[in-house]
Amino acid sequence: DFLINIQSIGEGLTITNDDQLRNLDGLQNLNTIGGDETNISFNEQLSNLDGLQNLRSIGSSINVNDNIRLNEFCGLRTLLNQPDDFNLRDPMGNASNPTKTEIRDGDACSRILPALIADLPAMAWPQLVLLSLMVFGLGFGNLYLGRN
């Protein structure tokens, strides 16, 4: 994990077209990205941005688009709660496309369930499925799903 030592990138970051990348965990010590644009796009297996949880400053904009399994944007909360002004272009083409406010307020941190349901093969559904899920900061909740 040579990426773990990176704290700053001077001229932008592009993470694109990697169909094996599942997360950005190796970037957890990254706190600054310079340059004009940061792009995270077309990464078919990427499901969260948690590796960016310590990011505090970026250049002028960040694009997060067309990551078909990306459903959790929690890793951007620290960045979005900084006083720096930058442009988070409206996410699109991801499994979830939250607004800047939803990410900042934590509403984009619990979007795991839609992708989980989409990934379950139809044959795996019993007559009644009980999914117990952790609701961030609120304890446990249950969701009952039936099949006709």
Side-chain angles (χ1 to χ4, degrees), residues 120-139:
L120 289 175
M123 298 303 289
W125 288 80
Q127 290 298 347
L128 182 66
V129 176
L130 169 63
L131 294 176
S132 294
L133 57 133
M134 179 74 164
V135 179
F136 294 89
L138 300 176

Side-chain angles (χ1 to χ4, degrees), residues 70-90:
L70 181 59
N71 59 7
E72 220 224 72
F73 285 70
C74 232
L76 295 179
R77 282 185 75 195
T78 301
L79 177 64
L80 291 175
N81 283 303
Q82 299 301 310
D84 292 348
D85 189 29
F86 68 91
N87 181 22
L88 171 65
R89 298 204 177 139
D90 291 336

Side-chain angles (χ1 to χ4, degrees), residues 12-94:
L13 174 66
T14 298
I15 302 171
T16 188
N17 292 312
D18 187 335
D19 60 359
Q20 302 299 312
L21 182 67
R22 295 184 178 275
N23 60 58
L24 303 176
D25 291 351
L27 296 173
Q28 67 261 25
N29 290 319
L30 183 62
N31 57 47
T32 304
I33 301 173
D36 290 333
E37 207 164 72
T38 296
N39 289 298
I40 302 171
S41 58
F42 298 104
N43 301 292
E44 292 180 13
Q45 301 298 316
L46 185 64
S47 63
N48 68 66
L49 301 175
D50 290 350
L52 300 177
Q53 73 267 15
N54 292 314
L55 190 58
R56 299 200 179 329
S57 175
I58 66 165
S60 61
S61 69
I62 184 169
N63 300 312
V64 182
N65 297 318
D66 300 304
N67 302 286
I68 60 174
R69 293 185 188 267
L70 181 59
N71 59 7
E72 220 224 72
F73 285 70
C74 232
L76 295 179
R77 282 185 75 195
T78 301
L79 177 64
L80 291 175
N81 283 303
Q82 299 301 310
D84 292 348
D85 189 29
F86 68 91
N87 181 22
L88 171 65
R89 298 204 177 139
D90 291 336
M92 60 185 191
N94 304 300

